[in-house]
Amino acid sequence: MGVSEGVIDTEAGRANGLTNILDGEYDGYAECVKTTFDPKIINLCQLIDYFFEIIDPYSLNKQGIDIGKKYRTGIYSNNEQHLEIAKKYINDRSDREKIVVEVLDLNNYVKSAAEHQDRLDKYPNDYCHIPKELLNKYKINF
């Protein structure tokens, strides 16, 4: 099964900043991808497995060549059960002491501008920290 099976929609956005607007300078947000999925087809632990393949869970405030607090990794949700599953997922790993992935309530979510939606479809040769082999393996569409 590819990661796209069971994923209903994705949307580039910003999470957990001090405001819920796009204007102005960085306000503490984390760049994120809002993911809507069908739990009858793919469960949250499977999504987290895929997530851990495309990020460096040990890297604080950095992914690929992108550096800064807005590039921190996290799992954010308004669903308390999702947060508990994510915490258990991390806690059950043998490398849990090295993992710096935040697991927090989702606050101040705002959809990113249109130019950031489906970015790799629009600009296939643009930079992405996810290895192309994984993009192809899972047929990931952003």
Side-chain angles (χ1 to χ4, degrees):
M1 175 175 74
V3 71
S4 58
E5 294 175 46
V7 174
I8 298 164
D9 189 43
T10 60
E11 176 181 277
R14 296 177 175 186
N16 291 14
L18 301 174
T19 66
N20 60 355
I21 59 174
L22 291 175
D23 298 334
E25 295 297 316
Y26 167 73
D27 69 355
Y29 66 83
E31 291 190 356
C32 67
V33 176
K34 180 179 179 183
T35 307
T36 306
F37 65 98
D38 182 344
K40 294 178 192 132
I41 300 172
I42 189 167
N43 67 47
L44 185 57
C45 285
Q46 289 169 303
L47 284 176
I48 296 171
D49 279 338
Y50 292 128
F51 180 59
F52 270 62
E53 279 192 66
I54 65 170
I55 62 153
D56 177 353
Y58 316 125
S59 181
L60 185 62
N61 300 330
K62 179 180 183 293
Q63 286 300 314
I65 63 171
D66 296 317
I67 299 171
K69 194 163 182 193
K70 70 180 180 177
Y71 301 111
R72 66 191 183 272
T73 53
I75 298 170
Y76 311 108
S77 181
N78 291 319
N79 182 322
E80 188 61 38
Q81 185 179 21
H82 287 174
L83 297 174
E84 292 305 315
I85 289 168
K87 288 174 188 174
K88 182 177 179 348
Y89 177 96
I90 291 170
N91 194 50
D92 287 350
R93 290 177 56 112
S94 62
D95 60 351
R96 66 186 161 272
E97 297 300 322
K98 297 188 294 184
I99 294 173
V100 295
V101 175
E102 297 180 329
V103 179
L104 298 170
D105 287 328
L106 176 64
N107 294 299
N108 295 330
Y109 174 80
V110 62
K111 179 180 178 178
S112 290
E115 69 187 76
H116 299 291
Q117 304 303 323
D118 304 310
R119 181 113 183 135
L120 291 178
D121 287 341
K122 294 174 188 170
Y123 310 99
N125 295 318
D126 205 2
Y127 166 75
C128 179
H129 78 275
I130 303 169
K132 288 192 188 253
E133 309 82 62
L134 283 179
L135 291 172
N136 294 332
K137 176 181 174 183
Y138 294 123
K139 299 180 179 89
I140 294 174
N141 247 345
F142 289 101

